[in-house]
Amino acid sequence: MLKKTYQIWGAALALSVAASGSYAAVSAEQAAKLGTEFTPMGAVKAAQGNIPAWEGDVPAGKGGVGPDGKLLNPFAGDKPKFVITAANYKDYAANLTDGQKAMFAKYPDTYRMPVYETRRTAGYPQEIYDATKKNATASELLNDGNGIANFTEGTPFPFPQTGVEVIWNHITRYRGGSVTRVVGQVTPQVNGDYTLVRFQDEFTFRNELTDFDPATDDNVLFYFKQDVLSPARLAGNVLLVHETLDQVKEPRKAWVYNAGQRRVRRAPQVAYDGPGTASDGLRTSDNFDMFNGSPDRYDWKLEGKQEVYIPYNSYQLKDGKLKYDEIVQAGHINQDLTRYELHRVWKVTATLKEGKRHIYAKRVFYIDEDTWQATEIDHYDGRGELWRVAESHNVYYYDRKVPWYAIEVLYDLNSGRYLALGLDNEEKGGYEYDFKRTYSDYTPAALRRQGVR
């Protein structure tokens, strides 16, 4: 069984909180190991256990960008080493999450996991490595873990000592600085029928604004805008979010432009377990990006590291030759198009605090050590029953050195339905980076000016 905590820095993980409510940064001696003993992001660099050494990028000469603007699969020639099915999953139980096991039980005839060679192909730009090394000795959690001091970009806690530090590494992780994309979301019925909802999303981290001023909006992490492009009944609605670092001190700011009313309104429901946009009740606001928002409603326990089969290098799910109908099926996405690899992940258990409210009483996170991306999350209801299983199909945008998701999926075990977000196979081009925005582009006034319906 792989439930023992890995050791880092030659000592066990420290789980104590200072009396002031802040968490201490690591020493300069520990930070100096980034890029040598550890990867620049804090993962184990050398081969260890069943996990090979970190590669840091796709092999030279592999991949490329196709004429349709989509990334080519650098591992198109790989074949599965074996396939996990309902008939044999118990043989691999030590490396599976409870949610994955539940999927085999729920869909014994169709759910399968093709397992491929482990390739630790995920890197970041040098400036993100440099920022992460600086953060290691400078960044601190404040306000009982609900805010970060001395952080602008990179990973704030490459050597996490608490569960909430791991979660902040996921929330703040690098996604290209500024990026816009057109993606689809589906919420299939039990029989597989679905209506595609198309969004144009854009993220801009505050330091990427052309008129960036460290003193302006200093509690904002990034700005997010989401335009609904289709279907017609939803088209024209726009969501604007100012994602704050300390959401207890200053709650997330959100506004919605309603095309039918031609009005901009504050949207306090866009947080925690408020309903996700056009999700048919199948996800909460904080299910987006696997998990987002304030961590203040949960107690976060760091369980250590495990080796788990997780979706990785999921380039096949980004293939521009695929149609959405080939991916979206009844019960779950087409698992023949998936790729799983054995990777080392951080395990964190979130338990709802006494007196706090959320539809998920417990969440169990599995976060990839190389990218800090949440890749498997099990969600439990108030009775302690496993309810929803989230899975992100990770992909490395090697042309921009950005690890992210091909698709993120949230399976509802009770209803037999699911939500899949991030589909872009039938969209033109890929993700657009380095677009220019100013503070004034992310204001309610700008939202009103944008409204055309």
Side-chain angles (χ1 to χ4, degrees), residues 17-18 20-25 135 138-151 156-157 160-169 171-172 245-246 295 300:
V17 179
S20 64
S22 65
Y23 300 82
N135 294 338
S139 295
E140 294 182 312
L141 285 182
L142 304 175
N143 193 9
D144 291 326
N146 296 312
I148 306 178
N150 307 319
F151 172 80
F157 308 107
Q161 302 175 67
T162 63
V164 74
E165 287 182 338
V166 174
I167 297 303
W168 274 111
N169 286 348
I171 291 171
T172 61
L245 278 165
D246 187 340
W300 302 88

Side-chain angles (χ1 to χ4, degrees), residues 64 100 169 172 213 218 227 292 367 401 413:
Q100 291 170 332
N169 286 348
T172 61
D213 177 0
D218 62 345
D227 298 63
N292 73 90
I367 297 181
K401 294 188 180 296
L413 297 173

